[in-house]
Amino acid sequence: MSKGRTPQNKVALIAGPTASGKSDLAVRLALALADVGREAVIINADSAQVYADLAVLSARPTEEEMRGMPHRLFGAWDGSTACSAADWATAAKAEIAAAHETGAVPILVGGTGLYIRTLLDGIAPVPAIDEGVRAEVRALPLDQAYAALQAEDPDRAALLSPADSQRITRALEVVRSTGKPLGHWHQQLEGGIGHAVTLAPLVLLPEREALYARCDARFAAMLDQGAVDEVAALLARNLDPALPVMRAIGVAEIAAMLRQELSREECIASGSQATRNYAKRQYTWLRHQPPADWLRIAPENVSINTHFEIFF
């Protein structure tokens, strides 16, 4: 193969928890490829950074941080429209195909496991949920919904925490609306591209205490960098509180501060804790759920030329 060309099916993936430095690494990889005459396109795989409304609160890369490298699917959705994993995967597939068409290297970067899994493995073809069933399930108190799931889909219930309201609700409405448990549909995944691409995955797993310290420092800094104005603008739109953009980490805490229910110090403490909790969940997922042959490594130990040598 001549220098400067890459096989048309190769895709880089840099995954990591929030505040792990994955976006910076993606840019460094793109710049390294540019140095050897190869183009790259960085494609967002973070479920908060897809929303235009959350530039600061999602730590979306700034123009300066992008360093002139093409970035796609960052701020691509208005907060009034939910971006599901299927929606994102469809858009990501199009961006990957467009990059390959021009000979560029697609670099996926993010920490949203459901997005990554949907893109690679496909999505379960669950039929549309009956609206009556959905309303009935969502009206249940969480403890009752979990007890119902234990009775109606015990296999799924055993996999979930009793506090995981979103997944409990989803599993219960699926089994009640379709008559089949969620596991049945997951065995029929379709639309994934994992079999059709050569993936170069790298999972960043920083030292935990250092990661949590960065989470704390970042949330406090966000308040001075425009996050308060972002949340105020969201609240002024009177969006459905169930929308993902309204449930993003930090929105509830800053909204409470704006309503004078929390002091600034309490907002920072609560928002930092929520960020650490999220980073912990991402860390656990990335450590255990992706295939065992995906390299897990501390950010400071990454060698771009070595770990992404298939592109050079």
Side-chain angles (χ1 to χ4, degrees), residues 139-157:
L140 290 173
L142 180 56
D143 60 339
Q144 292 183 26
Y146 186 65
L149 187 63
Q150 288 178 307
E152 298 173 44
D153 185 359
D155 291 341
R156 181 61 47 176

Side-chain angles (χ1 to χ4, degrees), residues 26-270:
V27 171
R28 286 166 48 206
L29 172 57
L31 289 168
L33 288 166
D35 285 343
V36 296
R38 297 193 177 117
E39 296 181 0
V41 176
I42 298 170
I43 302 170
N44 172 46
D46 182 286
S47 62
Q49 292 184 356
V50 299
Y51 294 109
D53 314 72
L54 297 177
V56 176
L57 205 52
S58 72
R60 200 166 75 216
T62 64
E63 288 293 330
E64 181 180 3
E65 291 167 338
M66 291 179 184
R67 299 176 69 182
M69 296 295 101
H71 282 62
R72 303 287 186 262
L73 305 185
F74 290 85
W77 270 261
D78 183 85
S80 63
T81 302
C83 176
S84 69
D87 295 331
W88 174 83
T90 297
K93 282 187 277 189
E95 294 292 352
I96 290 169
H100 283 155
E101 183 67 25
T102 63
V105 175
I107 304 173
L108 291 165
V109 59
T112 302
L114 181 59
Y115 275 21
I116 295 168
R117 187 170 59 194
T118 300
L119 174 67
L120 298 177
D121 298 339
I123 192 165
V126 181
I129 302 301
D130 179 270
E131 288 301 323
V133 170
R134 172 165 287 152
E136 178 184 83
V137 167
R138 295 189 178 187
L140 290 173
L142 180 56
D143 60 339
Q144 292 183 26
Y146 186 65
L149 187 63
Q150 288 178 307
E152 298 173 44
D153 185 359
D155 291 341
R156 181 61 47 176
L159 298 174
L160 302 178
S161 161
D164 194 341
S165 59
Q166 186 173 358
R167 290 182 174 86
I168 289 169
T169 297
R170 173 61 175 168
L172 186 58
E173 67 184 20
V174 166
V175 71
R176 288 190 172 182
S177 180
T178 70
K180 297 183 183 298
L182 199 53
H184 165 83
W185 301 108
H186 281 173
Q187 291 173 3
Q188 304 178 53
L189 296 175
E190 56 187 32
I193 66 168
H195 67 286
V197 300
T198 299
L199 191 68
L202 188 65
V203 177
L204 300 181
L205 294 179
E207 191 276 324
R208 284 182 185 256
E209 291 308 313
L211 176 65
Y212 298 156
R214 286 198 293 273
C215 288
D216 289 348
R218 191 174 76 171
F219 188 82
M222 284 175 175
L223 295 189
D224 297 321
Q225 295 169 353
V228 177
D229 290 339
E230 279 187 349
V231 173
L234 273 175
L235 296 175
R237 297 184 66 186
N238 293 314
L239 297 176
D240 183 343
L243 283 167
V245 74
M246 298 303 295
R247 293 186 284 110
I249 291 172
V251 171
E253 291 80 5
I254 294 174
M257 183 181 71
L258 290 171
R259 294 191 299 266
Q260 299 185 336
E261 297 169 359
L262 294 178
S263 67
R264 178 184 172 87
E265 292 72 23
E266 290 169 333
C267 173
I268 290 174
S270 182

Side-chain angles (χ1 to χ4, degrees), residues 13 41 138 162 261 303 307 311:
L13 168 62
V41 176
R138 295 189 178 187
E261 297 169 359
S303 167
H307 294 126
F311 299 110

